[in-house]
Amino acid sequence: MPVLSAQNLKKSFTTPAGTIEVLRNVNLAVAPGESVSVRGESGAGKTTLLQILGGLDTPDSGELFWNGERITKRGNAFLAKARTKLIGYVFQFFHLVPELTALENVLLAARIAGTPMRQAREQAKELLARVGLAERTSHLPTKLSGGECQRVAIARALINRPPLILADEPTGNLDECTGEAIMQLIIDVCREQNTALLLVTHNLDFAARTDRRLVLRHGILEEI
Ligand SMILES: Nc1ncnc2c1ncn2[C@@H]1O[C@H](COP(=O)(O)OP(=O)(O)OP(=O)(O)O)[C@@H](O)[C@H]1O
Ligand SMILES: [Mg+2]
């Protein structure tokens, strides 16, 4: 059963300049452990799509399933709880809590999921070591480089062992060399943990490393 599937998703935005049809008819299924990349021009609707798939935004029509369960039209409380179990999100701009250390940022996600703190602390330290931050666990985000912040965000996305990671241009805000290392890290840890990955990227080389490559064009997701 796909960890994530979408059928006939449509989404448009109404602006003073008129209505933009961003997603016209999106169909997608992501199998457990599979990595899928999504490319598309700026403004093609990649972020809109990822937010809908992650339950952070709602489609105008169409159906969305998480682990086979229909989630379209479910309430926010249900979505928030189901999302914690199913999805780890990695954003372009990290979105770490500035007042919390690297370790605390990772632990926050475990706390939200209700994991006992002693167990979570061990797992968080292991994950931070896995992403190369064993020596930085007590640093605040302001004392970390961009690449290090994204490593923390990756550890945070993985702490609840979700079967799916959604990553929206996770290296878009990093220099080329750091971006390369971060992208390989995301792909490697998802493979190691058999976590499915839906990766939005502009970069053809990164896209080539995923099992399946899609392009969002004129509101439709095409296999290439
Ligand atoms: N809340 C909104 N209200 C109105 N228009 C929106 C809204 N969100 C997105 N859009 C428009 O929808 C289109 C798709 O935006 P989206 O951010 O999904 O593109 P994207 O493919 O992620 O682009 P980029 O590669 O630049 O991140 C754009 O034209 C954008 O201006
Ligand atoms: Mg975007």
Side-chain angles (χ1 to χ4, degrees), residues 90-96 131 133 141 144-154 167-186 199-203 206:
V90 182
F91 302 90
Q92 181 172 348
F93 295 99
F94 326 135
H95 292 309
L96 299 178
V131 299
L133 291 181
L144 295 170
S145 70
E148 287 170 340
C149 284
Q150 198 60 302
R151 288 170 196 270
V152 176
I154 293 166
D168 191 357
E169 298 200 36
T171 63
N173 199 34
L174 301 172
D175 67 72
E176 205 175 314
C177 182
T178 310
E180 163 65 37
I182 292 293
M183 194 58 83
Q184 199 56 52
L185 177 67
I186 292 178
L199 173 69
V200 166
T201 178
H202 278 294
N203 187 311
F206 297 152

Side-chain angles (χ1 to χ4, degrees), residues 11-60:
K11 179 78 176 176
S12 48
F13 292 112
T14 304
T15 67
T19 299
I20 331 167
E21 272 194 305
V22 178
L23 306 179
R24 290 198 300 144
N25 186 3
V26 166
N27 292 282
L28 170 72
V30 180
E34 182 183 37
S35 61
V36 180
S37 55
V38 176
R39 289 188 303 119
E41 287 178 2
S42 183
K46 304 179 297 297
T47 295
T48 304
L49 174 63
L50 227 57
Q51 291 195 331
I52 289 175
L53 296 176
L56 301 172
D57 197 355
T58 50
D60 298 333

Side-chain angles (χ1 to χ4, degrees), residues 203-218:
N203 187 311
L204 265 172
D205 290 341
F206 297 152
R209 296 178 208 175
T210 57
D211 300 331
R212 211 145 55 84
R213 287 160 288 282
L214 306 175
V215 174
L216 184 59
R217 198 180 284 142
H218 307 308

